Amino acid sequence: RGPVRDIVLLNAAAALAATAGVAGPEAVVPALADGFARAAEAVDSGAARALLDRWIEVSRRLAPRLPSR
């Protein structure tokens, strides 16, 4: 797989841990490990790609309605 994937998954793990809230320093490593596993499953199953595709579709539909600067 590789280092780029690892960094993407670690970044997602940190975001998931931050969103969930970490009770204290001793909970950081387990929270990151759990987030890493969840992110890997989302990427490997195609769920992350499917969500990205939906966000792209919605943003393209909404873009013409946004005021221009």
Side-chain angles (χ1 to χ4, degrees), residues 1-11 36:
R1 309 231 186 171
V4 172
R5 180 180 189 273
D6 290 345
I7 292 300
V8 168
L9 296 179
L10 187 56
N11 185 57
F36 193 93

Side-chain angles (χ1 to χ4, degrees), residues 25-63:
E26 67 285 345
V28 171
V29 171
L32 288 175
D34 179 62
F36 193 93
R38 289 175 57 198
E41 174 60 26
V43 169
D44 295 343
S45 71
R49 178 57 191 247
L51 180 58
L52 177 61
D53 289 343
R54 286 192 311 233
W55 286 344
I56 291 168
E57 178 187 337
V58 169
S59 68
R60 287 182 177 159
R61 278 198 326 251
L62 294 176

